[in-house]
Amino acid sequence: MSREARVVLAGYLHHVLHLGHNQQPVFREERDYRKYIADMARLHRRFGVGIAGWCLLAGSVHILVMPYQDDEALAAFMKALASRMTRYHNRKYQSSGTIWNGRFRSSPIQPTPWGLACMRYLDMLPVHPGLVRQPAQYPWSSYRMRMGRTEQNWLMESPEFIGLGDSPQECRELYRLYCDQGMDERENKRITNAINRCQL
């Protein structure tokens, strides 16, 4: 493929979805979730990608990720994450084979308010099926970190989030109100369809 024909991934935010094999749970216990999040924290620096958000459900992973310079970094990052989790899972649960339903899906996000909408989409994922009433109650998403409620914060500074207010406190308060509004059904459907088609 020529340089001109290559798809440029670096510098753009991507909504990544990775599903468990045959709809089986990838995460069974608290330790499993913590393992994956710790791997994200280590590997995003190694591969030169920024993490703008994530949500881990029992059988699926959603991540907002931006390769900074290398177009190959996204695939390498996700491959390393998946491989580490597979080895950990098979060793812990005495199983073998893949725990993932093939390759991850990736939807590029236009540098518009869609970036903020996708953040809310991820943070609200546990609310829609009734796992929690508020996103702050769910421990396996980036919401608490974004809101300054964790000891560590390694989320990338998204321009859409920073643009919400004049101070970190104001940005967090306005984002909380934004999530409290809930999602428009058309917006929700568009993001869902986009990740299934690998486009937005």
Side-chain angles (χ1 to χ4, degrees):
M1 182 179 293
S2 69
R3 181 182 295 272
E4 292 76 17
R6 288 184 59 189
V7 176
V8 177
L9 303 180
Y12 293 92
L13 200 61
H14 297 260
H15 178 186
V16 171
L17 170 64
H18 213 177
L19 299 171
H21 183 61
N22 288 336
Q23 299 183 340
Q24 296 299 308
V26 174
F27 308 102
R28 303 184 187 182
E29 301 176 359
E30 180 177 319
R31 182 181 172 190
D32 304 344
Y33 291 95
R34 294 191 182 281
K35 160 69 176 170
Y36 194 92
I37 293 171
D39 284 345
M40 275 198 296
R42 285 189 292 265
L43 293 174
H44 88 274
R45 297 184 180 91
R46 178 186 301 179
F47 289 99
V49 301
I51 306 295
W54 76 84
C55 182
L56 311 183
L57 301 173
S60 64
V61 169
H62 290 257
I63 310 175
L64 296 180
V65 56
M66 177 188 288
Y68 288 130
Q69 296 180 328
D70 185 356
D71 286 345
E72 306 299 325
L74 174 57
F77 169 70
M78 289 303 301
K79 180 179 179 181
L81 262 182
S83 296
R84 285 190 174 208
M85 193 63 193
T86 297
R87 291 194 298 270
Y88 161 86
H89 187 280
N90 287 343
R91 182 172 60 251
K92 179 177 179 181
Y93 296 108
Q94 299 182 348
S95 57
S96 62
T98 183
I99 62 172
W100 303 102
N101 189 26
R103 191 178 185 276
F104 67 91
R105 301 173 186 173
S106 175
S107 170
I109 301 171
Q110 299 172 10
T112 65
W114 278 108
L116 200 64
C118 287
M119 288 181 200
R120 178 170 67 177
Y121 177 89
L122 264 62
D123 287 332
M124 296 297 288
L125 277 173
V127 177
H128 294 310
L131 298 177
V132 293
R133 295 182 62 185
Q134 300 292 335
Q137 296 173 327
Y138 193 71
W140 316 123
S141 79
S142 53
Y143 184 87
R144 292 182 180 182
M145 186 175 287
R146 192 184 325 282
M147 302 303 282
R149 299 183 184 183
T150 58
E151 293 183 3
Q152 295 182 336
N153 188 344
W154 39 266
L155 287 176
M156 66 172 285
E157 294 185 342
S158 163
E160 292 91 346
F161 183 79
I162 295 173
L164 286 175
D166 296 326
S167 68
Q169 182 177 356
E170 185 178 7
C171 291
R172 290 166 182 160
E173 177 61 18
L174 290 174
Y175 183 73
R176 183 188 66 79
L177 294 173
Y178 179 61
C179 288
D180 287 348
Q181 293 174 7
M183 290 190 66
D184 181 275
E185 185 59 32
R186 291 174 298 177
E187 183 180 82
N188 185 54
K189 185 175 293 185
R190 176 169 177 178
I191 295 175
T192 301
N193 291 339
I195 189 62
N196 288 331
R197 298 192 310 266
C198 298
Q199 65 183 27
L200 184 56

